[in-house]
């Protein structure tokens, strides 16, 4: 810039031409005047500044081409040219960009004399401004477009929402709502729009019936309270038309709010259903265990007066399994439903009936002022359940056993009361079913004893604590031993020898009889295999063993392992074996018979149907129960029964064994009535295998069996 002329400092006095020159020099435009030979006539200072030229380079007479060349040397870029481009002879602007970023616009004005004038203007700032303006305009347009798209999308979005949506302003007037909102409340689109007030909408809803179970004013009151609270809130509103909506209210900073309305009717219904299912038994619609516990807890906690009590009845149906087995599960289900209905008819509003699964029910009777109320209900239940049931044409009768525990005396918490009612039920069942028992503290003790015995029993088999005793069965006429009945004994490590009457019912109940019975069969066959060939062994098989699969294999396996001939094995069953699944049981009995195994009916006369069962299977032997033998001397009916059975058996080709013969008199009586065999203490008590060997078998070869040996 050093060579730029500083005219401002010119000391010469002002002259009009100089003044004009001075003014032109200070123009913001660069100006070049050239003659027809395209030589500089005049060039102002601004021109020299724009192109960084010295006064020497622009002095008059300089060829325009030099100036052009100089400009080109600067490395400029042409941004735009006039439309009819004819260089500098034609008026029109050319826009250049210099390497330093400045933008110059120049225009050439031809003059009549063939010369011309060119103006050069630095339009950098103007260009920048216009570029910025342009960008702003563009941005504005883009923004507008974005807004338009966003609005469109918003419209699509809100009108396709599954929820109703509405915006209200601070004056409680609608700004916008979607179609779903209108649909949900049955509102007409032409009556609802921006500016509609909340109250107007509420009124329209009132007309449409899309309104909760409260008055219009109450609802407006509530809705306004929500609206002005400035707190976000979620509420569930049940409408009179049966729909349930969830309203999410969200205040906006300007005092208005946005609310979404969701139809949760189906969701609520399934929630209610799930809740119901979680607390009820699906078959009977009675309470289930969970609900029972809740109710029992409430009942125990709610006792207002000290004398108020809560009775828990634990009910178990008798012979339900037989109904299921005989008529099928469908009939069983039907029976349970009828039982539920009969129970419902017997209880009060405040009582709870629950099905605990299977054929077990619990009734919470609360409150009661006197245990006599519990007695009355239990009696009512037993009476009602023992009425006949019609199961789709099948008439059947069952019974009910009930255990009762009364809180708080028998327990302060549900668990304890239920457990004690269960103990009482166990007793009721043990006492012959069809009855009820109140809990007594002794039952608890008995149950513990039972539990201990159960544990001991399971250990007894691997520990080798069982032993078989054998009792001789003697021919009455010849006094010869025909065989022995195997009778199990338990050598308990602490309690000593335990009789089967004590542990067999428990073993049957817990299913332990199956492995235990298997051991008995194997052991008896193995022992008997060592006896003389004409002696048989009798083994007792319980009903539970008959119900478990594999009995046949066990017996066949025991015979094979011992080498005992099947004709030497006798199976003793009681009539309970034939009580259930008679067909299947008979099939097994026939299979056993076909192998040559003898089948005896034990304890004949103690059940109700002994005679009936004699018809359905050709037993080899009848064992007349001890109770008849015992009374034979002084009870005419016992004598008659023994006589009749002996006659019947003889007629059918069956052997008769009198059990429990203890006296010579009894022996003589049964002999004269026609019995063929006897078994009893008179001849011998049951003895360990070794004693049998020593007392009877070893001497048998040498001499005839003694007339009477009573073992120690
Ligand atoms: P049960 O099969 O009727 O056996 C006869 C029972 O009468 C035996 O009692 C026997 O000891 C007893 N007894 C025999 N003669 C007399 C007598 O003159 N007077 C008296 N008072 N009793 C006599 P035990 O051995 O106590 O067996 C009782 C019951 O236990 C048996 O009755 C049988 O039902 C069952 N039992 C025994 N062992 C087994 C077994 O291994 N398996 C199965 N399932 N049950 C068995
Ligand atoms: Mg027996
Ligand atoms: Mg018997």
């Amino acid at each position: 810039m050093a060579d730029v002329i500083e005219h401002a400092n010119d000391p010469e006095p002002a002259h009009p031409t100089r003044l004009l020159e001075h003014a032109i020099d200070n123009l913001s435009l660069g100006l070049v005047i050239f003659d027809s030979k395209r030589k500089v006539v005049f060039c102002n200072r601004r021109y020299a500044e724009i192109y960084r030229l010295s006064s020497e380079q622009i002095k008059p007479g300089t060829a325009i081409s030099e100036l052009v060349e100089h400009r080109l040397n600067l490395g400029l870029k042409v941004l735009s040219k006039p439309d009819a481009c004819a260089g500098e002879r034609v008026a029109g602007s050319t826009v250049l960009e210099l390497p330093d970023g400045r933008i110059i616009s120049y225009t050439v004005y031809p003059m009549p004399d063939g010369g011309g004038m060119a103006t050069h203007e630095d339009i950098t700032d103007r260009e920048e401004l216009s570029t910025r303006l342009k960008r702003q305009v563009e941005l504005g347009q883009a923004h507008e477009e974005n807004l338009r798209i966003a609005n469109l999308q918003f419209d699509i979005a809100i009108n396709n929402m599954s929820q109703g949506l509405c915006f209200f302003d601070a004056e409680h007037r609608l700004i916008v709502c979607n179609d779903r909102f209108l649909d949900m409340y049955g509102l007409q689109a032409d009556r609802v729009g921006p500016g509609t007030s909340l109250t107007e909408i509420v009124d329209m809803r009132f007309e449409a019936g899309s309104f909760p179970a409260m008055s219009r004013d109450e609802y407006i009151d509530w809705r306004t309270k929500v609206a002005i609270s400035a707190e976000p809130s979620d509420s569930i509103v049940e409408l009179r038309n049966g729909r349930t909506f969830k309203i999410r209210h969200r205040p906006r900073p300007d005092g208005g709010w946005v609310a979404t309305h969701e139809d949760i009717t189906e969701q609520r219904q399934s929630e209610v259903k799930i809740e119901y299912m979680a607390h009820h038994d699906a078959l009977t619609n009675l309470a289930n265990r969970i609900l029972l516990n809740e109710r029992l807890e409430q009942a125990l906690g709610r006792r207002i007066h000290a004398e108020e009590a809560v009775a828990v009845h634990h009910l178990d149906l008798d012979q339900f399994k037989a109904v299921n087995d005989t008529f099928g599960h469908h009939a069983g289900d039907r029976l349970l439903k009828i039982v539920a209905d009969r129970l419902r008819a017997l209880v009060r509003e405040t009582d709870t009936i629950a099905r605990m699964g299977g054929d077990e029910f619990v009734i919470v009777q609360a409150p009661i002022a006197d245990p006599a109320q519990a007695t009355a209900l239990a009696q009512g239940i037993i009476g009602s359940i023992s009425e006949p049931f019609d199961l789709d044409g099948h008439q059947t009768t069952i019974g009910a056993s009930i255990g009762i525990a009364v809180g708080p005396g028998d327990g302060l918490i549900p668990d304890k009361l239920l457990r004690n009612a269960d103990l009482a039920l166990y007793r009721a069942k043990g006492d012959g079913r069809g009855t009820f028992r109140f809990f007594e503290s002794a039952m608890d003790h008995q149950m513990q004893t039972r539990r201990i015995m159960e544990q001991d029993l399971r250990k007894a088999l691997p520990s080798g604590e069982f032993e078989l005793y054998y009792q001789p069965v003697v021919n009455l006429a010849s006094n010869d031993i025909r065989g022995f009945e195997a009778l199990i004994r338990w050598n308990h490590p602490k309690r000593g020898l335990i009789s089967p009457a004590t542990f067999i019912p428990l073993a049957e109940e817990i299913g332990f009889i199956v492995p235990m019975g298997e051991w008995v069969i194997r052991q008896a066959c193995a022992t008997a295999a060592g006896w003389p060939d004409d002696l048989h062994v009798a083994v007792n098989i319980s009903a539970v063993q008959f119900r478990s699969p594999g009995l046949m294999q066990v017996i066949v396996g025991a015979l094979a392992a011992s080498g005992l001939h099947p004709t030497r094995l006798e199976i003793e069953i009681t009539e309970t074996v034939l009580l259930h699944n008679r067909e299947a049981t008979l099939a097994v009995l026939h299979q056993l018979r076909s192998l040559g195994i003898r089948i005896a009916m034990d304890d004949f006369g103690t059940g109700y149907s002994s005679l009936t069962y004699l018809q359905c299977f050709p037993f080899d032997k009848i064992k007349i129960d001890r109770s008849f033998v015992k009374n034979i001397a002084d009870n005419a009916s016992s004598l008659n029964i023994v006589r009749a059975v002996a006659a019947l058996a003889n007629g059918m080709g069956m052997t008769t064994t009198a059990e429990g013969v203890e006296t010579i008199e009894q022996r003589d009586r049964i002999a004269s009535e026609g019995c063929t065999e006897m078994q009893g203490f008179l001849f011998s008590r049951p003895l360990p295998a070794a004693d049998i060997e020593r007392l009877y078998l070893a001497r048998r070869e040498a001499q005839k069996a003694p007339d009477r040996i009573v073992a120690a």
Side-chain angles (χ1 to χ4, degrees):
M1 293 286 257
D3 51 359
V4 172
I5 317 153
E6 288 292 325
H7 294 272
N9 298 331
D10 204 333
E12 268 194 50
H15 179 273
T17 318
R18 290 291 297 164
L19 276 176
L20 184 66
E21 251 176 58
H22 184 73
I24 290 172
D25 261 347
N26 285 297
L27 274 177
S28 64
L29 289 174
L31 187 75
V32 184
I33 301 171
F34 52 91
D35 60 18
S36 59
K37 295 200 185 79
R38 300 187 66 80
K39 302 266 194 215
V40 172
V41 177
F42 174 77
C43 188
N44 77 347
R45 197 172 61 159
R46 181 70 186 131
Y47 179 89
E49 274 170 14
I50 290 172
Y51 296 110
R52 314 267 193 259
L53 296 167
S54 63
S55 52
E56 189 58 26
Q57 287 172 297
I58 58 164
K59 67 173 195 267
T62 307
I64 288 297
S65 59
E66 276 179 48
L67 294 185
V68 171
E69 197 175 334
H70 175 78
R71 284 209 311 258
L72 290 174
N73 286 345
L74 287 177
L76 52 78
K77 194 161 84 192
V78 178
L79 297 182
S80 68
K81 282 183 172 176
D83 278 348
C85 182
E88 294 181 5
R89 273 187 295 269
V90 183
S93 300
T94 300
V95 180
L96 307 171
E97 187 182 343
L98 297 179
D100 59 9
R102 280 177 303 145
I103 297 180
I104 312 296
S105 166
Y106 77 85
T107 313
V108 180
Y109 303 91
M111 293 210 201
D113 64 352
M117 180 180 82
T119 59
H120 293 248
E121 187 183 5
D122 185 338
I123 56 164
T124 313
D125 290 348
R126 212 171 66 202
E127 275 300 289
E128 243 176 51
L129 196 68
S130 97
T131 311
R132 218 180 301 146
L133 270 174
K134 229 160 82 191
R135 196 169 310 138
Q136 256 166 16
V137 168
E138 277 167 13
L139 274 176
Q141 282 169 347
H143 185 68
E144 223 166 74
E145 179 62 8
N146 284 344
L147 212 61
R148 198 184 63 79
I149 293 171
N151 273 337
L152 199 69
Q153 285 169 341
F154 178 70
D155 259 15
I156 294 171
I158 71 165
N159 282 318
N160 285 290
M161 278 170 74
S162 62
Q163 297 166 340
L165 179 79
C166 52
F167 286 81
F168 279 86
D169 64 17
E171 269 70 55
H172 301 185
R173 293 195 170 275
L174 185 68
I175 298 170
V176 68
C177 72
N178 65 357
D179 297 347
R180 180 82 182 107
F181 177 78
L182 302 176
D183 285 353
M184 286 172 82
Y185 291 104
L187 303 172
Q188 290 162 13
D190 55 353
R191 291 179 65 196
V192 180
T196 313
S197 74
L198 176 66
T199 325
E200 285 166 338
I201 291 179
V202 168
D203 284 339
M204 288 183 231
R205 280 181 47 190
F206 204 73
E207 274 172 43
S210 52
F211 207 75
M214 51 172 91
S215 75
R216 174 192 170 277
D217 292 345
E218 276 172 343
Y219 186 71
I220 291 187
D221 239 33
W222 171 74
R223 198 62 194 88
T224 312
K225 234 178 258 165
V226 172
I228 58 179
S229 77
E231 287 294 327
S233 64
D234 291 354
S235 19
I236 291 182
V237 179
E238 280 173 21
L239 305 187
R240 288 167 205 249
N241 60 13
R243 309 301 298 174
T244 306
F245 292 163
K246 179 171 188 171
I247 305 174
R248 285 190 185 83
H249 172 92
R250 297 290 179 269
R252 296 191 311 145
D254 63 3
W257 73 88
V258 56
T260 57
H261 297 244
E262 188 184 354
D263 187 337
I264 55 162
T265 313
E266 273 75 33
Q267 186 188 329
R268 282 281 281 199
Q269 281 166 352
S270 49
E271 274 169 14
V272 169
K273 203 164 159 197
I274 289 167
E275 163 80 9
Y276 184 86
M277 279 162 61
H279 289 95
H280 290 83
D281 166 53
L283 179 70
T284 58
N285 278 331
L286 293 174
N288 66 6
R289 214 174 266 274
I290 299 168
L291 184 57
L292 172 87
N293 257 299
E294 285 175 14
R295 294 275 175 84
L296 189 49
E297 214 154 79
Q298 282 166 8
L300 286 166
R302 218 181 11 225
R303 287 181 320 111
I304 300 165
H305 308 293
E307 66 275 13
E308 268 181 12
V310 176
V312 173
H313 300 250
H314 196 161
L315 164 77
D316 192 285
L317 302 182
D318 304 329
Q319 295 101 38
F320 173 71
K321 201 183 168 305
V323 172
N324 250 345
D325 290 348
T326 316
F327 303 119
H329 286 280
H330 182 70
D333 286 355
R334 176 95 196 90
L335 182 127
L336 291 172
K337 283 187 190 176
I338 303 174
V339 166
D341 289 341
R342 290 190 187 176
L343 294 177
R344 281 191 193 100
L346 292 167
V347 302
R348 302 165 301 176
E349 192 68 354
T350 52
D351 303 337
T352 302
I353 316 168
R355 177 168 172 233
M356 309 296 271
D359 59 348
E360 268 181 66
F361 298 83
V362 165
I363 295 138
V364 175
Q365 193 185 10
I368 56 165
D370 192 316
Q373 281 178 269
T375 305
L377 178 60
Q379 281 168 338
I381 293 171
I382 291 169
S384 167
I385 302 298
S386 58
E387 292 288 319
F389 288 81
D390 182 356
L391 305 176
D392 303 324
H394 300 292
Q395 290 284 320
T396 192
T397 316
I398 58 161
S401 302
I402 301 175
I404 309 167
V406 182
D410 296 341
L412 272 169
I413 55 164
D415 267 5
K416 179 100 181 170
L417 268 182
L418 287 167
R419 204 177 72 90
N420 287 343
D422 189 30
L423 289 175
L425 171 65
Y426 186 73
R427 169 64 63 85
K429 286 203 240 175
D431 287 355
R433 299 174 180 265
T435 183
F436 67 92
R437 290 286 177 267
F438 276 93
F439 168 76
E440 291 159 17
S441 52
M443 292 176 185
D444 204 8
H445 176 71
Q446 284 158 4
M447 193 46 84
Q448 271 169 22
T449 314
R450 179 180 176 273
R451 212 167 291 131
I452 291 167
M453 191 195 272
E454 183 181 331
Q455 285 165 5
D456 289 354
L457 203 52
R458 293 189 194 279
K459 276 186 275 176
L461 200 55
S463 308
E465 289 163 21
F466 292 120
E467 187 181 357
L468 287 187
Y469 276 38
Y470 297 89
Q471 187 177 33
V473 181
V474 184
N475 181 283
L476 273 168
S478 65
N479 213 27
D480 285 345
I481 295 175
R482 286 294 157 87
F484 298 88
E485 179 178 6
L487 295 159
I488 194 165
R489 299 289 179 267
W490 179 10
N491 291 304
H492 191 280
K494 287 196 201 119
R495 297 170 57 187
L497 204 64
I498 302 181
S499 110
T502 316
F503 64 87
I504 286 209
L506 177 63
E508 287 181 328
E509 201 179 306
I510 63 174
F512 180 70
I513 192 82
V514 175
M516 192 193 89
E518 181 174 347
W519 177 85
V520 170
I521 296 165
R522 290 181 166 279
Q523 187 66 29
C525 289
T527 305
W531 298 339
D533 284 349
D534 61 323
L535 295 178
H536 68 252
V537 66
V539 175
N540 294 282
I541 308 264
S542 90
V544 179
Q545 286 172 273
F546 262 90
R547 265 186 297 218
S548 84
L551 176 66
M552 194 67 204
Q553 283 95 311
V554 167
I555 294 173
V556 171
L559 288 171
S562 62
L564 186 76
H565 196 272
T567 50
R568 294 179 59 200
L569 177 62
E570 199 169 274
I571 297 293
E572 292 189 10
I573 61 165
T574 59
E575 65 180 70
T576 52
V577 169
L578 287 161
L579 218 56
H580 304 298
N581 285 339
R582 198 185 306 174
E583 295 310 311
T585 308
L586 286 174
V588 177
L589 288 177
H590 279 292
Q591 268 181 302
L592 293 171
R593 258 298 273 288
S594 67
L595 293 174
I597 296 168
R598 289 153 54 85
I599 314 290
M601 174 167 276
D602 203 355
D603 303 344
F604 188 85
T606 50
Y608 301 104
S609 322
S610 303
L611 276 171
T612 324
Y613 292 131
L614 283 186
Q615 286 179 318
C616 64
F617 187 78
F619 287 92
D620 295 287
K621 180 190 268 190
I622 295 174
K623 296 186 80 174
I624 302 168
D625 193 66
R626 199 168 73 218
S627 54
F628 301 106
V629 176
K630 194 175 163 204
N631 299 325
I632 200 164
D634 39 41
N635 183 318
S637 73
S638 286
L639 179 69
N640 285 336
I641 287 171
V642 173
R643 184 179 294 158
V645 173
L648 183 82
N650 285 334
M652 292 171 84
M654 293 186 266
T655 312
T656 39
T657 305
E659 293 187 294
V661 179
E662 292 184 353
T663 65
I664 294 171
E665 193 191 358
Q666 284 168 346
R667 184 193 63 182
D668 294 345
R669 282 308 262 280
I670 55 151
S672 63
E673 293 310 332
C675 284
T676 36
E677 290 176 352
M678 70 154 199
Q679 189 181 344
F681 293 173
L682 175 68
F683 189 85
S684 171
R685 284 179 179 267
L687 297 169
D691 292 351
I692 292 292
E693 179 69 33
R694 183 172 52 83
L695 285 173
Y696 300 111
L697 306 181
R699 279 195 281 160
R700 193 168 179 261
E701 300 306 308
Q703 61 180 84
K704 203 173 176 293
D707 186 48
R708 182 186 172 196
I709 296 174
V710 178

